[in-house]
């Protein structure tokens, strides 16, 4: 992040940038900042956007070879194309000698660092990875926003707020905006305000779902799953979160069995200090072999869907039923 900020400040911009990682809020923020910097304050006449898995590389190259209109630079923005997996080789070859008048801004949630396109971009441009932010960073960020708005919040209320929102910055920002509107005529935000106005984050539903699985409460686990579907969460996104939860629990359990203290477990597992204890407690309800099997079945469930053997909704439902019927 600091490198991009410095590039923008000095005007020494790379021809190729890749922004990737789980923290979508930061990715979008830096995408927009870089785009404006690459345009030099001009309009978007010379911006060409390609999005999704089906983009055609010859079309991208043709556009990159087209001279910009009344400008020194054309900016090619490519988002969620999955070209940083097998399939991006031709574009990687082109980027070794691209048109000098074109710049490339890639935005991807996940990338394969072994791919030829990733290696080329890293060698010739700049790669910025935006992972989940730690507790101190999020607390400082939230306090900064509240200070600008003339609001105060106690450390206990702030911790309570972040326990409910999770570590997704987009979700935190959305819930903060609701709190600011709700407390428009007051300068102090209380825990009661948080309880009244903030919606528990989707990750909390997943946490509760895994707790229900640990208790063998299939009815509650499925009920939480159906709630997420009602909120229009895609089944494969839910599966991804379930997989992440089982992976974290396995990591936490193994660290605890090695005798690591709670603060160090939180640090090593990438968990906020205020939720590491919750994960330790939940992990204690599972055996290590159970968690390993669950992760294997999560991977198999995803493969079964992608290979067309079963529908996405049913595949996740069957997984939940299997592991909550012990």
């Amino acid at each position: 992040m600091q490198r991009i900020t410095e590039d923008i400040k000095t005007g020494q911009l790379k021809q190729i940038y890749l922004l990737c990682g789980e923290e979508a809020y930061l990715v979008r923020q830096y995408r927009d900042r870089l785009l404006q910097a690459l345009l030099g304050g001009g309009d978007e006449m010379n911006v060409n956007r390609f999005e999704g898995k089906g983009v055609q590389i010859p079309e991208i190259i043709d556009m990159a070879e087209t001279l910009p209109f009344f400008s020194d630079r054309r900016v090619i923005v490519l988002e969620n194309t999955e070209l940083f997996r097998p399939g991006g080789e031709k574009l990687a070859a082109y980027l070794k000698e691209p048109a000098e008048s074109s710049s490339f801004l890639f935005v991807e949630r996940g990338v394969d660092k072994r791919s030829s396109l990733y290696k080329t971009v890293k060698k010739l441009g700049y790669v910025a990875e935006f992972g989940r932010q730690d507790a101190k960073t999020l607390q400082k960020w939230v306090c900064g926003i509240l200070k600008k708005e003339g609001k105060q919040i106690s450390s206990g209320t702030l911790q309570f707020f972040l326990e409910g929102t999770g570590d997704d910055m987009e979700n935190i920002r959305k819930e903060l905006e609701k709190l600011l509107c709700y407390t428009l005529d007051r300068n102090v935000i209380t825990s009661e305000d948080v309880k009244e106005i903030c919606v528990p984050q989707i990750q909390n539903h997943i946490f509760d779902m895994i707790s229900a699985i640990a208790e063998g409460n299939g009815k509650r686990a499925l009920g939480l799953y159906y709630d997420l579907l009602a909120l229009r969460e895609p089944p494969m996104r839910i599966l991804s979160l379930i997989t992440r939860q089982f992976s974290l629990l396995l990591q936490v359990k193994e660290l605890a069995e090695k005798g690591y203290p709670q603060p160090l477990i939180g640090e090593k597992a990438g968990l906020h200090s205020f939720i590491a204890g919750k994960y330790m407690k939940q992990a204690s309800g599972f055996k290590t072999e159970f968690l390993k099997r669950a992760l294997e079945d999560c991977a198999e469930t995803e493969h079964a869907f992608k290979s067309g053997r079963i529908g996405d909704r049913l595949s996740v439902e069957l997984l939940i039923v299997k592991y909550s019927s012990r």
Side-chain angles (χ1 to χ4, degrees), residues 161-175:
F161 170 71
L162 290 173
E163 283 178 356
T165 60
D167 58 2
D168 183 274
M169 293 179 73
E170 184 68 40
N171 188 64
I172 293 172
R173 182 70 201 192
K174 180 178 67 177
E175 296 302 314

Side-chain angles (χ1 to χ4, degrees), residues 229-300:
L229 292 176
L231 291 171
R232 303 196 175 204
E233 279 296 308
M236 286 299 105
R237 157 85 168 152
I238 297 172
L239 176 61
S240 174
L241 291 170
I242 291 173
T243 304
R244 180 175 183 269
Q245 186 78 357
F246 276 134
S247 179
L248 282 170
L249 290 174
L250 178 59
Q251 189 177 358
V252 166
K253 189 171 186 66
E254 290 178 339
L255 289 169
E257 288 175 348
K258 291 178 180 178
Y260 286 98
Q262 180 178 321
L264 195 53
I265 288 176
E267 181 181 335
K268 286 184 172 293
L271 296 170
H272 294 175
S273 56
F274 45 76
I275 62 172
K278 290 172 61 178
Y279 275 76
M280 290 176 69
K281 183 178 179 181
Q282 190 177 73
S284 67
F286 294 99
K287 293 182 179 180
T288 300
E289 287 306 313
F290 177 93
L291 293 171
K292 289 180 178 179
R293 283 200 313 275
L295 284 171
E296 291 173 358
D297 278 350
C298 284
E300 174 56 30

Side-chain angles (χ1 to χ4, degrees), residues 90-153:
K90 289 184 179 179
L91 185 55
Y94 173 76
L95 289 179
K96 292 175 181 178
E97 292 186 30
E100 292 183 5
S101 59
S102 289
S103 294
F104 294 81
L105 179 54
F106 293 93
V107 179
E108 298 285 337
R109 183 173 180 83
V111 296
D112 184 346
K113 294 182 180 180
R114 300 167 298 178
S115 68
S116 60
L117 184 56
Y118 180 88
K119 292 176 181 177
T120 299
V121 171
K122 186 173 183 180
K123 180 180 179 180
L124 302 177
Y126 182 70
V127 176
E129 295 187 56
F130 299 87
R132 297 296 190 189
Q133 303 298 292
D134 60 31
K136 289 183 179 179
T137 300
L138 290 177
Q139 289 168 351
K140 184 177 180 180
W141 178 60
V142 170
C143 287
I145 294 173
L146 294 179
K147 185 177 181 180
K148 288 181 180 178
E149 298 292 335
K151 301 291 184 181
Q152 300 174 29
I153 190 170

